[in-house]
């Protein structure tokens, strides 16, 4: 790690890793309006549940409010013309900019769009700064994860790509290699595109196939630009993939490539729209599986990055029953206070949701399912659609790192 990073996690006891949790109620201003799937209350409910679970109440956890990212900071990954367009549309939502994706059905114009979007970006910048300075080893911005935003265009509910902005800040701060692990049900196309030809960044996305889901990209043959071949990794899973198959795919691709790439920091995007109850996608995962994915990323950060890990949220549109539990589990993993799946959801939180929104909520923090999965070492099954997806990715990428696509 570059000497400008001030702390070595290996010298810190595992139970006391300094952690930054980014949160401020002002982040709910990212609001596309009534009826839009990206309901800002999912953020408020997550923070309230995490607080009820005691996840913010530890001496090594700092809950910090982000600033609105400046234009200079946004310019590290976005074009000046695009930032100016976001400002114009936010100042006058009656004048959309369809060419830049502003004022569309997915990304409706709203007053204050620039400030609200830049605050989410500021949250992931805060996370990156905390790791670079050594103030924290891990950080989480569950309000972030806007991975569809491109350099000059909004897309898929995402205006500014806070994930890419955080990664670029790490690079500018002296970090030499970053792996971005994206487990949202949708392909992380914006982040992949921004770092398409940058050999310092590996983007790994496990998502529902573009044959059945927006944005229609993210296939195994998308492997990076001419200067960075092998740094874009895509696992395009068939619709209705469940827990066991998803975990088999993750563990057949991600740990091997993280080990080969040897990142100094892991940045992850944890959209929980892969859940079986999500109204916009077709995957079939449980909260238990999503928690297991966060645990796996935590393990990779501990093994390869001296615990340096920045986690973000992302998609997730089952707003009361899934998102707050999934992201509270994520916060628990980042802060090293894992929440047991069998733990009852705090009654005060459930009552608040019922009284405020008139919606019932699950009684337990997990979905009470079996997430046992078969390791790739048991062999490839050509009749299995998920295995065919996995081997397609391994064939494209593994040889570039000296790995055997069949056996490593």
């Amino acid at each position: 790690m570059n000497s400008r990073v001030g702390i070595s996690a290996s010298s810190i006891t595992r139970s006391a890793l300094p952690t930054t949790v980014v949160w401020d109620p002002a982040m709910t201003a990212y609001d596309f309006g009534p009826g839009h799937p990206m309901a800002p209350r999912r953020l408020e409910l997550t923070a309230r549940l995490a607080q009820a679970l005691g996840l913010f109440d530890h001496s090594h956890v700092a809950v910090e409010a982000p600033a609105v990212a400046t234009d200079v900071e946004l310019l590290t990954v976005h074009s000046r013309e695009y930032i100016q367009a976001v400002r114009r549309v936010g100042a006058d939502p009656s004048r959309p900019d369809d060419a830049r994706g502003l004022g569309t059905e997915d990304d409706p114009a709203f007053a204050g769009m620039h400030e609200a979007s830049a605050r989410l970006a500021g949250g992931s910048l805060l996370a990156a700064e905390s790791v670079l300075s050594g103030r924290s080893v891990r950080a989480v911005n569950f309000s972030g994860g806007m991975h569809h935003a491109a350099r000059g265009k909004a897309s898929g509910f995402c205006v500014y790509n806070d994930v890419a902005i955080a990664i670029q800040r790490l690079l500018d701060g002296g970090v030499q290699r970053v792996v971005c692990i994206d487990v949202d049900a949708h392909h992380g196309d914006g982040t992949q595109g921004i770092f398409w030809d940058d050999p310092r960044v590996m983007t790994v996305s496990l998502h529902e196939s573009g044959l059945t889901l927006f944005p229609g990209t993210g296939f195994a043959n998308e492997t990076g630009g001419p200067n960075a071949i092998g740094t874009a990794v895509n696992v395009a899973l068939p619709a209705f993939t469940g827990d066991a198959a998803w975990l088999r795919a993750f563990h057949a691709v991600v740990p091997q490539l993280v080990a080969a790439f040897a990142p100094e920091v892991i940045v992850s995007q944890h959209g929980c729209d892969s859940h079986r109850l999500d109204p916009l996608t077709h995957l079939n995962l449980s909260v238990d599986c999503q928690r297991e994915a966060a645990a796996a990323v935590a393990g990779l950060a501990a093994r390869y990055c001296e615990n340096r890990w920045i986690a973000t949220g992302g998609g997730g549109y089952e707003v009361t029953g899934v998102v707050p539990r999934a992201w509270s589990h994520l916060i628990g993993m980042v802060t090293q206070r894992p929440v047991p799946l069998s733990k009852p959801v705090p009654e005060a939180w459930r009552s608040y949701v019922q009284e405020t929104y008139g919606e019932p909520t699950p009684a337990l923090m997990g979905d009470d399912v079996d997430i046992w999965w078969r390791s790739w070492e048991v062999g490839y099954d050509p009749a299995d659609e998920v295995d065919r997806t996995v081997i397609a990715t391994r064939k494209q990428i593994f040889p570039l790192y000296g790995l055997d696509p069949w056996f490593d």
Side-chain angles (χ1 to χ4, degrees):
M1 198 78 170
N2 188 281
S3 61
R4 279 173 282 182
V5 178
I7 196 164
S8 173
S10 60
S11 65
I12 302 170
T13 61
R14 183 171 172 79
S15 61
L17 293 179
T19 303
T20 296
V21 176
V22 179
W23 171 242
D24 189 300
M27 300 177 93
T28 60
Y30 191 80
D31 186 355
F32 291 115
H36 193 281
M38 187 75 92
R41 63 188 170 109
R42 68 199 192 120
L43 305 180
E44 181 259 336
L45 289 175
T46 296
R48 186 179 288 268
L49 178 56
Q51 183 80 59
L53 291 165
L55 295 174
F56 297 166
D57 303 326
H58 298 287
S59 60
H60 66 284
V61 175
V63 180
E64 299 186 28
V68 173
T70 67
D71 285 9
V72 170
E73 290 166 335
L74 297 172
L75 281 165
T76 60
V77 305
H78 292 293
S79 71
R80 186 176 303 279
E81 295 76 17
Y82 176 61
I83 296 168
Q84 291 170 345
V86 177
R87 283 186 175 278
R88 284 197 305 272
V89 172
D92 184 0
S94 68
R95 301 180 63 185
D97 188 337
D98 290 348
R100 294 186 173 91
L102 301 168
T104 63
E105 182 178 3
D106 274 2
D107 297 271
F110 64 92
M113 174 182 269
H114 167 78
E115 291 78 9
S117 305
R119 191 182 303 276
L120 298 192
S124 292
L125 271 172
L126 171 60
E129 293 285 1
S130 71
V131 171
L132 278 172
S133 68
R135 190 171 73 254
S136 295
V137 177
R138 292 179 169 184
V140 56
N141 176 21
F142 58 86
S143 303
M146 305 295 105
H147 63 164
H148 293 307
R151 192 172 298 278
K153 187 174 183 180
S155 178
F157 314 161
C158 305
V159 178
Y160 293 135
N161 193 320
D162 64 288
V163 180
I165 290 168
I167 293 171
Q168 189 62 53
R169 180 65 192 96
L170 292 173
L171 298 174
D172 293 343
V175 174
Q176 300 299 309
R177 293 176 309 282
V178 178
V179 167
C180 178
I181 301 172
D182 188 323
V183 299
D184 195 288
H186 300 85
H187 176 226
D189 58 332
T191 311
Q192 173 182 284
I194 288 168
F195 296 107
W196 181 251
D197 205 30
D198 191 329
R200 299 172 296 174
V201 180
M202 173 181 280
T203 58
V204 185
S205 181
L206 286 86
H207 48 269
E208 182 181 333
S209 171
L211 295 175
T212 55
L213 191 67
F214 174 90
T217 56
F219 297 97
N221 62 354
E222 298 172 32
T223 60
N227 296 310
I229 295 173
T231 61
V233 181
N234 289 289
V235 184
L237 296 162
F240 311 112
T241 296
D243 290 344
W246 192 98
L247 288 168
R248 175 170 164 82
F250 180 98
H251 288 285
V253 173
V254 181
Q256 297 88 334
L257 292 176
V258 170
F261 196 72
E264 297 174 35
V265 183
I266 289 175
V267 176
S268 56
Q269 197 270 18
H270 294 263
C272 54
D273 46 4
S274 55
H275 195 273
R276 64 195 183 203
L277 297 181
D278 196 274
L280 300 188
T281 70
H282 315 99
L283 295 180
N284 197 28
L285 304 194
S286 63
V287 164
D288 307 47
C289 179
Q290 293 169 340
R291 178 185 185 275
E292 184 68 17
V297 176
L300 293 171
R303 183 170 184 180
Y304 298 108
C305 306
E306 293 188 302
N307 272 307
R308 296 184 184 94
W309 175 26
I310 296 170
T312 68
Y317 311 103
E318 209 301 315
V319 173
T320 54
V322 173
V323 176
R325 289 188 299 151
W327 288 349
S328 290
H329 282 301
L330 175 64
I331 295 167
M333 290 298 172
V334 176
T335 60
Q336 292 198 315
R337 290 293 185 273
V339 179
L341 290 164
S342 59
K343 185 177 180 64
V345 175
E347 190 56 43
W349 185 86
R350 298 184 71 204
S351 297
Y352 170 81
V353 177
Q354 181 66 50
E355 293 166 6
T356 306
Y357 300 108
E359 298 177 15
T361 51
L364 299 177
M365 285 298 295
D367 288 334
D368 192 25
V369 298
D370 182 358
I371 58 170
W372 179 88
W373 53 277
R374 293 183 307 118
S375 168
W376 187 258
E377 284 73 19
V378 303
Y380 163 64
D381 180 359
D384 184 276
E385 193 174 4
V386 171
D387 274 22
R388 294 199 299 272
T389 293
V390 169
I391 198 63
T393 300
R394 287 171 64 109
K395 283 182 174 180
Q396 288 282 349
I397 303 294
F398 274 34
L400 300 173
Y401 293 92
L403 299 170
D404 187 314
W406 298 98
F407 301 110
D408 283 333

